[in-house]
């Protein structure tokens, strides 16, 4: 007998969205999350492109979230080395770009779920299959176990479910990112513009969330290796101020006035595009979605939106087939088939951009040629439509 029918591991963006998508299709699920409470205070904010909004529309939460963030009207790339600028108008015929506080996204998805969908303080340790029934047996670090019919691993980049599926280890880009929020009590002067700055090998992004709040991210290689120091937000702030000291005054001010509690430091991990092309992302009634399947660098700002797409496609397939053992296996095969080339293309584009940032001049030329050949329209990843629930 199964304790639970459908178990999702992890209450991040993907796990919550998947539970909500299943709920909208009349399928009950339970989420097992290792944290003691909702993880709604990490990562500051997240840019959502038109493809992400299509998925949020399907999940029925887009209109709530639209009220929390302004519509961005243009994008500008500025080289701080030579002063070159490139302006990109955000084409609203194909959809919208907004930057959401992660807290708003996580809280809204959570609030749309039936009560008690998430069980906190449940850290998955291992999975094995019952030799008689082939049902997954989940073992948690507190020593408890449950038998379930279906497992969906939304447990992020260091996924236990991905290990069970024997997926190849994830890799690291040779650079790091710092993210934060800065509040301008009297309004910021940056309009509705997403601005990206480049200086040597440093990248800085600045995105307004509303008329007062700015989300910014900063990335560069060769950061002090001592992992421990990055747990201290004051250290993050001091390093950021130092690294940005040659930037225009408005950027330095933004770093100095950042909300200390919003700061975070993270390494940049990815699943190699070629591993996505050949990996087995399901085994029987176990599969993975979100970062557990396709963690990618942040250079296109698409990892979270791809996780929302996964949720819609997964629930649609599960609702179409049914919930017996064979049917779930079919639904997962179809889910993987639908998603594979989408995430291979996204990850490949992100990979090439990441490589371009940290290569010698000769290799840079190679990455630029590959990018131009394989992605003649560099914005087309936003046109993707995951379809109806
Ligand atoms: C610097 C940076 C900037 C980014 N910017 C953007 C952006 O602008 N737009 C965008 O779309 N994406 C962006 N992304 C990517 C985006 O943040 C991720 O793709 C997204 O958060 C993935 O969500 P997830 O739910 O799959 O994984 P996670 O958010 O990692 O959630 C996994 C959850 O599983 C839980 N968990 C883990 N292991 C276990 C276990 N063993 N047992 C139980 N629970 C477990 C964790 O506690 C967590 O709650 C960015 C990423 C980075 C690093």
């Amino acid at each position: 007998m199964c304790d639970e029918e459908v178990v999702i591991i992890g209450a991040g963006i993907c796990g919550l969205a998947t539970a909500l998508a299943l709920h909208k299709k009349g399928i009950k699920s339970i989420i097992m999350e290792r944290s003691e409470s909702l993880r709604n205070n990490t990562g500051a904010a997240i840019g959502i492109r038109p493809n992400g909004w299509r998925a949020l529309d399907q999940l029925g939460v887009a209109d709530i979230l639209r009220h929390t963030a302004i519509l961005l009207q243009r994008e500008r790339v500025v080289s701080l080395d030579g002063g070159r600028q490139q302006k990109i108008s955000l084409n609203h015929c194909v959809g919208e770009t907004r930057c959401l506080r992660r807290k708003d996204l996580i809280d809204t998805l959570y609030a749309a779920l039936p009560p008690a969908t998430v069980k906190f303080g449940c850290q998955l340790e291992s999975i094995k299959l019952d030799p008689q029934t082939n049902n997954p047996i989940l073992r948690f670090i507190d020593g408890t176990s449950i038998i379930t019919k279906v497992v969906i691993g939304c447990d992020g980049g260091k996924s236990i479910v991905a290990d069970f599926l024997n997926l190849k280890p994830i890799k690291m880009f040779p650079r790091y990112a710092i993210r934060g929020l800065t509040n301008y009590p009297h309004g910021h002067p940056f309009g509705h513009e997403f601005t990206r700055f480049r200086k040597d090998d440093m990248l800085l992004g600045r995105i307004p969330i509303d008329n007062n709040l700015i989300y910014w991210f900063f990335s560069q290689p060769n950061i002090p290796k001592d992992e421990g120091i990055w747990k201290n937000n004051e250290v993050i702030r001091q390093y950021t101020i130092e690294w940005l000291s040659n930037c225009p005054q408005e950027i330095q001010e933004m770093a100095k006035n950042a909300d200390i509690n919003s700061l975070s430091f993270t390494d940049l991990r990815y699943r190699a595009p070629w591993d996505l092309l050949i990996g087995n992302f399901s085994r029987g009634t176990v599969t993975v979605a979100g970062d557990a399947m396709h963690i990618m660098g942040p250079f296109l700002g698409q990892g979270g939106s791809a996780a929302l797409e996964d949720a819609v496609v997964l629930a649609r397939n599960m609702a179409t087939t049914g919930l017996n053992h064979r049917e779930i296996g079919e639904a997962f095969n179809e889910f993987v088939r639908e998603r594979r080339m989408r995430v291979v293309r996204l990850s490949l584009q992100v990979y090439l951009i990441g490589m371009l940032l940290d290569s010698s001049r000769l290799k840079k030329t190679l990455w630029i040629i590959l990018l131009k050949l394989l992605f003649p329209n560099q914005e087309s990843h936003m046109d993707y439509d995951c379809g109806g629930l």
Side-chain angles (χ1 to χ4, degrees), residues 10 13-14 33-34 39 46-47 102 122 124 155 291 301 303-305:
I13 294 171
C14 190
E33 164 59 45
R34 70 178 167 193
R39 290 182 68 239
I46 182 166
R102 288 206 184 224
C122 303
L124 181 70
D155 47 343
D291 274 11
S305 288

Side-chain angles (χ1 to χ4, degrees), residues 30 57 87 118 129 141 165 174 181 200 266 286 290 311 323 347 349:
I30 192 105
D57 271 322
K87 285 183 188 165
V118 184
L129 296 182
I141 55 157
L165 296 173
L181 299 172
D200 305 321
T266 177
V286 180
L323 280 190
S347 301
Q349 192 175 353

Side-chain angles (χ1 to χ4, degrees), residues 2-142:
C2 293
D3 298 313
E4 304 285 353
E5 294 262 287
V6 179
V7 173
I8 295 167
I9 308 295
I13 294 171
C14 190
L16 295 169
T18 302
L20 179 56
L22 289 172
H23 171 62
K24 290 183 94 63
K25 300 302 281 184
I27 301 172
K28 185 175 177 303
S29 66
I30 192 105
I31 305 179
M32 302 298 206
E33 164 59 45
R34 70 178 167 193
S35 304
E36 295 298 331
S37 58
L38 205 54
R39 290 182 68 239
N40 57 7
N41 55 0
T42 54
I46 182 166
I48 303 284
R49 299 297 202 162
N51 54 305
W53 285 104
R54 285 181 202 109
L56 289 170
D57 271 322
Q58 291 303 319
L59 295 170
V61 291
D63 281 340
I64 303 168
L65 290 167
R66 281 189 180 101
H67 287 111
T68 67
I70 55 174
L71 183 66
L72 297 176
Q73 275 154 5
R74 64 177 188 152
E75 209 168 313
R76 191 160 56 105
V77 184
V78 180
S79 161
L80 293 176
D81 295 317
R84 261 182 301 119
Q85 297 203 13
Q86 183 193 355
K87 285 183 188 165
I88 307 162
S89 152
L90 295 171
N91 179 355
H92 299 301
C93 299
V94 293
E96 55 189 313
T97 296
R98 293 175 201 261
C99 182
L100 299 176
R101 291 173 196 83
R102 288 206 184 224
K103 180 171 171 33
D104 288 338
L105 177 56
I106 293 280
D107 287 356
T108 303
L109 291 169
Y110 181 71
L113 289 170
T117 299
V118 184
K119 288 196 174 168
F120 293 102
C122 303
Q123 181 167 350
L124 181 70
E125 188 178 54
S126 64
I127 309 180
K128 61 180 183 179
L129 296 182
D130 184 321
Q132 255 103 54
T133 62
N134 261 346
N135 280 329
I137 305 171
L138 305 180
R139 189 180 163 80
F140 295 87
I141 55 157
D142 62 1

